Amino acid sequence: MTTKEYNLAIDEYADNLFRFARKQLGNEMSARDIVQEVFTKVWIRKDEVNYEKVKSYLFTTAYHAIVDWVKKEKRSGEMDQANEPVTDSSQPDLQEILHNALSRLPEIQKTVVLLRDYEGYNYSEIAEITGLNESQVKVYIFRARKTLQNYVKRLDLVI
């Protein structure tokens, strides 16, 4: 990959990577750190990365960096404090409800749903990024969507 292609990759995918990391982590500063770390790793390996596959490479690298970050935070005990929902007296909007529902999913389900529904990857691309096979990806997406659906239905009764 050339320097020009690297800069194009930043322009094209930095926002998507940030959104993905922020949804996964629930923390804007950590998401920024992840994006910076990903692009640093790509720069170091720019001669080995094919520009046609840079999107997949970026998200795979981000996914692994997020997994490492989550493991580190769980060991230090700070993860629980960072993901506590902020409540206010006003009616929650749909985005807040979905964010809370996503935060309750297991990490792998959350990852595949974000890659599929937020970032628009197909099943084979998600499988490549996460290291799962396509059948596993489909099962995790199905289970995550069912869990999200049940969570939103329960809130309908309360609200």
Side-chain angles (χ1 to χ4, degrees):
M1 175 168 44
T2 65
T3 303
K4 184 177 179 179
E5 289 171 334
Y6 175 81
N7 289 330
L8 284 172
I10 291 174
D11 292 341
E12 282 185 51
Y13 303 117
D15 291 340
N16 295 350
L17 282 172
F18 173 74
R19 184 175 54 242
F20 175 66
R22 194 167 131 242
K23 290 283 184 190
Q24 283 280 25
L25 301 173
N27 182 322
E28 189 172 322
M29 293 305 293
S30 297
R32 289 182 193 280
D33 290 344
I34 292 291
V35 172
Q36 184 173 354
E37 179 181 333
V38 167
F39 281 110
T40 301
K41 287 180 180 180
V42 171
W43 178 255
I44 291 168
R45 298 178 153 237
K46 72 180 172 72
D47 295 330
E48 301 168 23
V49 177
N50 183 352
Y51 182 72
E52 285 77 38
K53 298 201 176 227
V54 73
K55 182 178 179 185
S56 177
Y57 185 86
L58 288 168
F59 277 90
T60 301
T61 306
Y63 170 71
H64 291 293
I66 290 166
V67 168
D68 292 344
W69 186 90
V70 168
K71 285 178 185 176
K72 184 180 114 190
E73 291 302 309
K74 282 187 178 181
R75 279 194 304 262
S76 70
E78 297 172 12
M79 187 70 176
D80 295 329
Q81 297 169 356
N83 281 334
E84 296 229 353
V86 178
T87 57
D88 61 8
S89 59
S90 67
Q91 188 84 347
D93 64 25
L94 184 57
Q95 187 173 8
E96 278 182 54
I97 292 170
L98 287 175
H99 177 72
N100 287 338
L102 278 170
S103 69
R104 296 171 186 269
L105 290 175
E107 285 302 315
I108 190 64
Q109 288 182 9
K110 183 178 177 181
T111 298
V112 296
V113 164
L114 289 173
L115 288 171
R116 176 72 178 164
D117 296 336
Y118 281 75
E119 301 302 329
Y121 279 102
N122 64 40
Y123 297 122
S124 62
E125 291 172 324
I126 296 170
E128 184 181 329
I129 290 170
T130 59
L132 302 169
N133 64 44
E134 281 189 53
S135 298
Q136 290 172 312
V137 169
K138 290 175 183 178
V139 168
Y140 283 132
I141 288 173
F142 174 79
R143 289 178 181 167
R145 287 177 178 166
K146 279 305 233 188
T147 302
L148 292 172
Q149 182 182 29
N150 291 336
Y151 179 80
V152 172
K153 280 183 181 177
R154 278 187 289 147
L155 286 179
D156 272 348
L157 297 174
V158 175
I159 295 177

